[in-house]
Each structure stands twice: as C-alpha cells, then as structure tokens.
Amino acid sequence: MLLIKALHIIFMVTWFAGLFYLPRLFVYHAASTDAISLARFSLMEKRLFILMTLGGLVTTLFGVWLIVAEPGLLRQGWMHAKLLLVALLIGYHAWCWRLHRALAEGTSQRSAGWFRVFNEAPTIALVGIVLLAVLRPF
Ligand code: HEM
C-alpha cells in the first residue's frame, strides 16, 4: 500500500503542475492580441488540459484504491474535509476547461488580472489538502 500511496502523491504532483500552469497560460492568453499568439496559447492549453486531466484521474484512482484498502478512513473527519476540498478542486478543473473554450473561441470577457487571482485557488487547495492528509487534525 505504501507503493500505491507513493504513486498517489507522484500523480498528484503532475495534476498540480497543470493546475498551476494552465491558469498562468490564461493570463498570457488574455493579454495577447495577435493571431499567432492566440492560436499558440489555445493549443498549449488544450494539450496541458489533457495531461492534467490524466494526472487528476490517476491521482483519484489511487486515492480510491487506498480507501478501498482501508475503508475505516471514511469515518475520519479529516478525510471528509479532504474529500470536500478535492471535490472543489475537480470543480475548478472543470471550470478551467470552460475558460479555455471561451478563450479559444474568442468569447472570453475575463481580464489577465482576473486570471491572476483565479490562479491562486489551487495553492490554497494544495496547502489545505496536504495539511489535512499529513497532520490529520480531527
Ligand atoms: C479523489 C481524490 C483523492 C482521494 C480519494 C484520496 C485518498 C487518499 C487516501 C485514502 C490516502 C491514504 C491515507 C492513509 O492511509 O495514510 C491519501 C494519502 C495522501 N493524499 Fe490523497 N486522495 C485524493 C486526492 C488527493 C489530492 C488532490 C492531494 C493533494 C493535493 C492528496 C494528497 C495526499 C497526501 C499528501 C497523502 C499522504 C498522507 C500521508 O500518509 O502522510 N490526495 N489520499
């Protein structure tokens, strides 16, 4: 099970690499005006979204595996709080897809400054989830 936990953490890092970098690409995309940059950012975002979705799916797969191996974890408060934060993170992930589509189609009204703020959310989720998983405060 330690190997499964290690794989869970490794794929979590790949997922977060995307969750940190994709909104950063949105910042640059929203600040661009020329056709070549717009097309390039759209393509980079699409590829990164596919990779980070795989990272998220495999992280979740190993997380569920760990729960199946130790179902008692589902009776612990920290795990409820962690799963709530993970659910919010999955919502954020899905929101990223919608924002990418709007930018790619040229219908986005969001400013680069808005995307900078949007970019902070995964950091908060990461700190919260890791503190819950490691410290298990309740
Ligand atoms: C649906 C998604 C997820 C599920 C079902 C899940 C579930 C689990 C389970 C059951 C464990 C093992 C607990 C134990 O027995 O020690 C674990 C460990 C861990 N998880 Fe997740 N997890 C998920 C997503 C995440 C995410 C998104 C992060 C990071 C942001 C994360 C970070 C960690 C860490 C750092 C550990 C190791 C804790 C330790 O043993 O010290 N997990 N997870």
Side-chain angles (χ1 to χ4, degrees):
M1 273 309 124
L2 284 178
L3 178 62
I4 302 302
K5 200 190 285 192
L7 289 169
H8 177 63
I9 293 169
I10 290 164
F11 281 96
M12 177 271 275
V13 172
T14 68
W15 186 13
F16 268 87
L19 287 170
F20 287 139
Y21 192 50
L22 185 64
R24 178 86 354 218
L25 286 177
F26 292 162
V27 173
Y28 303 139
H29 193 154
S32 303
T33 47
D34 65 293
I36 293 174
S37 302
L38 293 172
R40 186 173 294 146
F41 282 126
S42 291
L43 185 65
M44 288 169 76
E45 287 159 12
K46 189 173 167 192
R47 289 186 177 158
L48 183 59
F49 186 84
I50 292 168
L51 281 176
M52 70 191 240
T53 301
L54 288 174
L57 285 173
V58 180
T59 303
T60 305
L61 177 83
F62 285 121
V64 171
W65 189 334
L66 289 164
I67 289 181
V68 170
E70 207 182 328
L73 288 168
L74 280 181
R75 287 193 296 275
Q76 299 181 17
W78 67 271
M79 182 54 85
H80 298 162
K82 174 178 161 166
L83 291 179
L84 177 69
L85 285 180
V86 172
L88 291 173
L89 202 60
I90 292 170
Y92 181 90
H93 187 115
W95 194 5
C96 281
W97 174 252
R98 294 190 53 180
L99 293 168
H100 157 66
R101 289 310 308 153
L103 281 163
E105 287 160 9
T107 56
S108 173
Q109 303 292 321
R110 317 260 187 204
S111 67
W114 187 89
F115 283 116
R116 268 179 218 282
V117 177
F118 179 76
N119 200 10
E120 298 305 322
T123 310
I124 299 165
L126 177 68
V127 171
I129 295 172
V130 172
L131 287 179
L132 283 167
V134 176
L135 302 180
R136 304 181 179 196
F138 43 83

